[in-house]
Amino acid sequence: MNKPKIVIAGAGYGGLITTVKLQKLIGTEEASITLINKHDYHYQTTWLHENAAGTRHHDQTRIAIKDVIDPRKVNFVQDTVTKIDPEAKKVTMENGQISYDYLVIGLGFEPANFGIEGLLDHAYNIRSINSSRLIREHIEHNFAMYNNESEKKEERLNIVIGGGGFTGIEFAGELAERIPELCKEYDIDRDKVRVTVIEAGPSVMMGFDPQLVEYALNSLESRGIEFQTNAFLKEVSADSIVYEKAEEKHTIKTNTTVWAAGVQGSSVLEKSGFNVKRNKVMVTEDLRDPDHDDIFIVGDCAAVMNEETGKPYPPTAQIATQMGFNCAQNLKALIRKESNTQKFVPDLKGTLASLGGGDAMGTVMGKKLYGKPADVMKKASDNRYLYQLGGVGLVLKKGKFNIFS
Amino acid sequence: MNKPKIVIAGAGYGGLITTVKLQKLIGTEEASITLINKHDYHYQTTWLHENAAGTRHHDQTRIAIKDVIDPRKVNFVQDTVTKIDPEAKKVTMENGQISYDYLVIGLGFEPANFGIEGLLDHAYNIRSINSSRLIREHIEHNFAMYNNESEKKEERLNIVIGGGGFTGIEFAGELAERIPELCKEYDIDRDKVRVTVIEAGPSVMMGFDPQLVEYALNSLESRGIEFQTNAFLKEVSADSIVYEKAEEKHTIKTNTTVWAAGVQGSSVLEKSGFNVKRNKVMVTEDLRDPDHDDIFIVGDCAAVMNEETGKPYPPTAQIATQMGFNCAQNLKALIRKESNTQKFVPDLKGTLASLGGGDAMGTVMGKKLYGKPADVMKKASDNRYLYQLGGVGLVLKKGKFNIFS
């Protein structure tokens, strides 16, 4: 048997959709498919802020890989990829090595530190199931400590969010819902708790329509979230942060800084000698590494230029998922030597941000949506992804149905 | 109006039963009654180990004081008693002062440190709602941290219980139930988690029938609890403990040491010049301070000699509650100048220890009980207390009905 070996590294949006689609498109006699992932589950990165705030249990956010792959068609290896050798066509993991004929890299993102002092050591990240449930626990632990100390420490009740982009705003919205519950749980006055979003730009949610941004701000401020714009995070320590605004430095005492600003691709790419910028490879139009036509790159490790704007598309779940579909089709074409590969063309349906508590805002098909209709659409799009991944059964098991509250 | 002023300091078992009984026994024209307590709630100290383990929510363990006192008959002051001046007949609180004609001291217990290095700084105590939910949070936080560190720290998963007496054993039993849930919640192998009870005596549960002790040990060991007897806790630090056994020192790496051994009465008594031993006053037979016949002392601040054994009765909820009934009767007698006060005679109905997961053991009316019957009796006695405090309504609201599981 000399059938081609396809290895998919990473079971995020891009890698897992590639796998699930590929197992339908090709037969076992055509190729062997191996999926490598650090955990035995896939998680929805776009839901993690809810796990971090504590408004949704992380088990709702993760999906057992065995529930969506067909074990007769896909080998699953639970291990962490540490290096790729494109010349030898090998992937090295913590506990082994595997060779490939075609490789799909979907190794996701890492926080970027922008040279901010103490950020990597002291800030928390909404990055994985592990890191997100730690944020939930960390906040609860600080609230639990508060009434056990005779000298009250405000840093236990202050939460700072670094970055007023998509994740920062969505996280703030969930915290606004969660904090009154936490205050009740730990006998703390709501007025003592402060959540501050520190944003370097002149506004939060840059790139969104100003009316939508205004709507989001009103929604969050009315629920007690504070904002500092044109404010630059300078230092993060275990119990405070320093930001600079209008050339003045300000300190906030806090044990909880959540970094929700810049991310970059997996550092495995740079370590493996790929030609990267912020750990992303500018891929070919069919999502391949320009230097190795047996390597596809999907999701946050891939940069795809938006020809209209002259800037790369932002790294979203929507695009990663669409990359997975494209990549599976192209792998099938290559294996069958059928035809040329297809160019990846993103189909941007819109962007919706949830604001917590059933509120949301965004644009769908060029139309602005606010409040309930936006929230319903947002949840529908989350459910649609589950449908694509695992059919109706998965939607029923992990879907979001709290749209009537 | 010159009616006598009764002040009750502390709303634990003794103080609150005194108050609730007194408000039924005497009319508003006969005396003014003031209850002082640090919190606006009473809690059941004997249930706190369940809150600490996380098997029962702390709201089930606490009762709002306003739900059991009659505001037309009792003034409630939420404040912390710092000192008593028996000569001036005044009680000083953090935020005020109050004078009394009769005082009931029910200020509860504090952990005793027995000179163990680091104990007060690093060990946790099952002492209050605040301290118990902190233990729950602290354990959860450590479990959440575990998978976020590349170098795994066993001290995050090791739990040491100092003392194999009543509280230590009951806490171990609840942990045995809770740990599999925690392991599932944080993706940790059960085998990696160790719970060790360190007991200085030759056996745990000293004073219990050896057959009952054997039963308890079997129940707990079968669920993964480890025991070290004849073992002396020597040092507690933030990430380890040292104990000595057979003249050898042993170290256990742990971030979580729960001290469940010795307690003493409130330090307010010693600070106020009372004649104390381990912060307890050896009270008269009608529960008064020998030096001040206008001061009653109930609960853990009072020592009452058991004439049969020649040793003081152990500080239990059962005895504290009975003291409350006796104290209320005696206060009524004094105010009405009716008759002599009644001698306090404990009516020991038995002792039952829960072992978690519906298991229990103990002695009731001289009869040994194990397993289900013991568990049912234990929960019935918990419910009986609620009935005494607040009638059927309170039993329905806060009672333990999980006896059919």
Side-chain angles (χ1 to χ4, degrees), chain B residues 362-384:
Chain B
T363 315
V364 176
M365 312 290 187
K367 201 180 156 214
K368 282 180 257 184
L369 289 182
Y370 305 88
K372 186 63 126 187
D375 183 53
V376 171
M377 282 299 288
K378 174 85 176 168
K379 283 168 179 147
S381 104
D382 284 337
N383 292 341
R384 183 165 178 271

Side-chain angles (χ1 to χ4, degrees), chain A residues 41 57-59 62 124 128-131 133-134 136-138 140-141 144-145 147-148 184-187, chain B residues 41 57-59 62 124 128-131 133-134 136-138 140-141 144-145 147-148 184-187:
Chain A
Y41 54 82
H57 192 270
H58 57 261
D59 281 341
R62 63 179 167 181
Y124 290 80
S128 63
I129 294 283
N130 275 322
S131 78
R133 69 183 159 197
L134 178 58
R136 179 195 73 197
E137 273 314 315
H138 175 79
E140 290 181 8
H141 184 246
M145 283 293 289
N147 277 327
N148 279 279
K184 189 160 173 287
E185 178 76 5
Y186 297 104
D187 301 317
Chain B
Y41 54 83
H57 192 270
H58 57 262
D59 281 340
R62 63 178 167 182
Y124 290 80
S128 62
I129 293 284
N130 274 322
S131 78
R133 69 183 159 197
L134 178 59
R136 180 195 74 195
E137 272 314 315
H138 175 78
E140 289 180 10
H141 184 247
M145 283 293 289
N147 277 327
N148 279 279
K184 189 159 173 287
E185 178 75 7
Y186 297 104
D187 302 318

Side-chain angles (χ1 to χ4, degrees), chain B residues 2 51 125 225 228 279 284 287 303 314 329 345:
Chain B
N2 205 10
N51 312 142
N125 295 289
I225 309 295
Q228 293 293 341
N279 288 343
T284 62
L287 304 178
Q329 288 289 355
V345 184

Side-chain angles (χ1 to χ4, degrees), chain A residues 292-333:
Chain A
H292 306 95
D293 64 6
D294 50 3
I295 297 181
F296 288 83
I297 306 176
V298 295
D300 293 342
C301 295
V304 174
M305 194 56 78
N306 182 340
E307 284 153 18
E308 282 178 41
T309 63
K311 288 196 288 189
Y313 288 103
T316 66
Q318 192 178 169
I319 285 185
T321 303
Q322 292 176 5
M323 285 175 166
F325 282 110
N326 182 270
C327 179
Q329 289 288 358
N330 284 342
L331 279 165
K332 184 189 78 168

